[in-house]
Amino acid sequence: QVQVVESGGGLVQPGGSLRLSCAASGSIFNINAMSWFRQAPGKERELVAVIAKGGSTNYADSAKGRFTISRDNAKNTVYLQMNSLKPEDTAVYYCKVVVAPDTYWGQGTQVTVSS
């Protein structure tokens, strides 16, 4: 199976920045899309950003202007640069990798924004 591993989470002050990384490995021939989701306690998992293999991107309204998703196709890696972080960004961030017809999820990385 495909392995998906996130890294880069941690504790930051409001207004600070973090860059999350997600590396996919295994039997991968063509990744259709990679995306970032987040889930806070008691809430449903929600989409933050998605990027297709061709480079097109979409963002949640809460992320626009602050977050940037990018990918390195040769390394099967996706990044999420998060700037101007707010306490409401606190959540576990998950990487989703679509290798049609299958979907793979990472274990998540905790992001905490607090003063």
Side-chain angles (χ1 to χ4, degrees), residues 19 36 51 57 59 68-72 77-81:
R19 189 176 77 154
W36 288 97
I51 185 167
T57 60
Y59 297 90
T68 302
I69 188 170
S70 61
R71 66 188 291 173
D72 184 333
T77 300
V78 64
Y79 307 93
L80 185 68
Q81 178 67 46

Side-chain angles (χ1 to χ4, degrees), residues 4-5 8 17 19 22 28 36 40 42 52 75-76 79 81 98-99:
V4 179
V5 180
S17 298
R19 189 176 77 154
C22 170
I28 301 173
W36 288 97
K75 298 181 179 180
N76 291 325
Y79 307 93
Q81 178 67 46
V98 177
V99 186

Side-chain angles (χ1 to χ4, degrees), residues 1-17:
Q1 294 293 308
V2 172
Q3 293 80 48
V4 179
V5 180
E6 304 103 330
S7 62
L11 174 65
V12 297
Q13 301 295 115
S17 298

